[in-house]
């Protein structure tokens, strides 16, 4: 299905919880954001099936942190059984993957994105407000051992915090077939009031590593490779090089509200709807998807924090 601007909407970000095992400073306050609630596994499956009937072909599970749900493998198995769904992915902070990666792979998850903003233990503790695991890469290695290929590691650039680690993250792609993706910090939630110096353009990666060679793109990321590198490097620029014109996604929050745009205030309640009424609400959300965000003019319009929306 296409929105009113002619974009084909094929991707759904489905948040299955607003709980998280971390308290990242740009995402939520130290005490945690107010809970919005979660739906049952059956409700998420019904929402997802209706979305696929409306043209969705790819679902990415998000949170909060989806791995905190004990029934996550059950949800994944149910989603994988939906006729017409072509790809099932999941975004996680990696905590818990050592034990859950095999079950997720067996349940039909195709790909994983793993969020990791620093390779330094003291910085990990400062950013996440939790003690770092013994090995910061343990979850990534566990996912690889479980058979996940094409792993993506998401690193949010924060000026004054981790820009001096750009080279360290690039080096991960020299020997590993991973895609390290650098993302621009977005002015929303707790970080909306942070100094402008915190918001680095991803062009800073190219400035620090001019040897990067551009390769074919995929999705919203510009992709590069170190000469001779086993993996790739992705640059995602929602601020400096907005990709709204090619955005193909909608979002459903953990409490069952459809958001056509991450940064929009408008939401459509889906919880409790069934059959044709549910499909009609999803189609309305697709049609009403805004043309673009306004982050270059002001902070995000959404009143929710990122953990309440889904990354």
């Amino acid at each position: 299905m296409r929105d009113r601007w002619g974009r084909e909407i094929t991707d759904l970000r489905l948040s299955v919880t607003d709980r998280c095992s971390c308290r990242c400073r740009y995402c939520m306050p130290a005490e945690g954001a107010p809970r919005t609630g979660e739906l049952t596994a059956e409700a998420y499956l019904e929402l997802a099936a209706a979305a696929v009937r409306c043209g969705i072909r790819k679902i990415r599970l998000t949170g909060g942190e989806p791995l905190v749900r004990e029934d996550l493998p059950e949800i994944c198995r149910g989603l994988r059984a939906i006729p017409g769904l072509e790809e099932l992915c999941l975004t996680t902070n990696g905590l818990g993957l050592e034990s859950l990666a095999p079950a997720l792979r067996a349940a039909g998850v195709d790909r994983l994105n793993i969020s990791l903003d620093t390779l330094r233990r003291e910085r990990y503790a400062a950013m996440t407000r939790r003690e770092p695991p013994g090995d910061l890469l343990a979850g990534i290695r566990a996912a690889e051992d479980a058979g996940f290929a094409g792993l993506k590691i998401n690193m949010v650039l924060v000026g004054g915090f981790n820009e001096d680690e750009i080279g360290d993250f690039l080096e991960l792609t020299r020997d590993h077939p991973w895609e390290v993706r650098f993302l621009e910090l977005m002015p929303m939630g707790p970080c909306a009031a942070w100094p402008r110096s915190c918001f680095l353009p991803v062009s800073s990666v190219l400035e620090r590593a001019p040897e990067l060679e551009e390769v074919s793109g995929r999705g919203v990321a510009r992709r590069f490779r170190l000469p001779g590198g086993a993996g790739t490097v992705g640059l995602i620029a929602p601020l400096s090089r907005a990709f709204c014109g090619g955005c193909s996604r909608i979002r459903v929050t953990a409490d069952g509200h459809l958001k056509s745009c991450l940064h929009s205030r408008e939401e459509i309640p889906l919880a409790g709807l069934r059959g044709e009424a549910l499909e009609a609400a999803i189609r309305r959300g697709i049609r009403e998807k805004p043309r673009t965000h306004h982050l270059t003019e002001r902070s995000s319009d959404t009143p929710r924090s990122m953990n309440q929306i889904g990354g």
Side-chain angles (χ1 to χ4, degrees):
M1 180 176 173
R2 296 184 181 273
D3 66 11
R4 56 181 167 160
W5 310 106
R7 296 170 296 196
E8 187 176 9
I9 307 304
T10 57
D11 298 357
L12 168 63
R13 297 286 179 94
L14 177 60
S15 175
V16 294
T17 183
D18 59 359
R19 293 176 288 151
C20 190
S21 47
C22 292
R23 293 290 182 271
C24 292
R25 294 179 181 274
Y26 56 74
C27 186
M28 68 171 84
E31 66 277 11
R35 293 293 312 283
T36 58
E38 303 169 353
L39 303 184
T40 64
E42 292 75 15
Y44 290 127
L45 296 179
E46 186 166 8
L47 288 173
V52 171
R53 292 194 296 271
C54 294
I56 293 297
R57 294 293 173 261
K58 172 183 172 181
I59 293 177
R60 175 173 298 281
L61 296 180
T62 68
E65 171 49 54
L67 268 60
V68 304
R69 281 196 69 130
E70 294 182 357
D71 59 352
L72 182 63
E74 172 191 338
I75 294 173
C76 294
R77 282 192 296 272
L79 292 171
R80 213 53 199 97
I82 295 174
L85 182 65
E86 297 174 1
E87 190 172 17
L88 177 61
C89 308
L90 185 145
T91 294
T92 172
N93 60 27
L95 301 176
L97 272 182
E98 287 184 90
S99 58
L100 281 174
L104 295 175
R105 187 67 181 141
V109 177
D110 297 300
R111 291 193 299 107
L112 295 177
N113 283 20
I114 301 170
S115 300
L116 183 64
D117 296 328
T118 178
L119 298 172
R120 304 183 186 182
R121 296 179 58 81
E122 70 281 359
R123 287 183 178 177
Y124 185 98
M127 174 57 77
T128 65
R129 299 186 178 102
R130 64 155 287 154
E131 280 300 307
D135 179 357
L136 293 180
L137 299 180
I140 298 170
R141 295 191 179 98
E144 202 168 46
D145 291 343
F148 284 102
L151 292 172
K152 294 180 180 178
I153 302 170
N154 292 343
M155 188 263 222
V156 177
L157 285 169
V158 183
F161 175 73
N162 62 3
E163 73 269 32
D164 60 342
E165 294 187 64
I166 289 174
D168 297 332
F169 274 87
L170 291 175
E171 282 300 313
L172 293 177
T173 71
R174 193 176 297 281
D175 299 319
H176 301 283
W178 306 335
E179 179 163 305
V180 170
R181 307 201 306 174
F182 297 91
L183 289 73
E184 291 177 347
L185 179 67
M186 294 180 289
M188 59 184 299
C191 70
W194 287 7
R196 292 186 62 84
S197 59
C198 293
F199 298 86
L200 297 179
V202 290
S203 59
S204 58
V205 176
L206 299 177
E207 293 169 2
R208 289 172 181 259
E211 70 273 22
L212 285 169
E213 303 167 346
E214 191 156 11
V215 296
S216 59
R218 183 185 301 156
V220 300
R222 291 180 66 197
R223 297 172 70 239
F224 300 81
R225 188 187 302 274
L226 286 173
T232 54
V233 176
L235 304 183
I236 300 178
L239 299 182
S240 65
R241 193 172 176 171
F243 42 81
C244 299
C247 182
S248 61
R249 70 184 59 151
I250 56 174
R251 297 169 182 268
V252 173
T253 63
D255 59 345
H257 286 74
L258 187 152
K259 290 181 67 70
S260 299
C261 173
L262 169 62
H263 302 289
S264 175
R265 179 175 295 273
E266 285 71 33
E267 299 181 353
I268 297 175
L270 302 181
L273 299 180
R274 300 286 184 271
E276 292 184 4
L278 178 56
E279 288 186 38
I282 293 172
R283 293 181 188 279
R284 175 188 156 203
I286 292 174
R287 284 194 303 270
E288 295 180 358
K289 184 175 174 65
R291 187 172 190 174
T292 184
H293 64 63
H294 303 282
L295 294 184
T296 57
E297 303 168 11
R298 61 180 185 270
S299 297
S300 178
D301 289 338
T302 182
R304 294 186 187 242
S305 58
M306 196 66 184
N307 72 292
Q308 296 172 328
I309 301 173

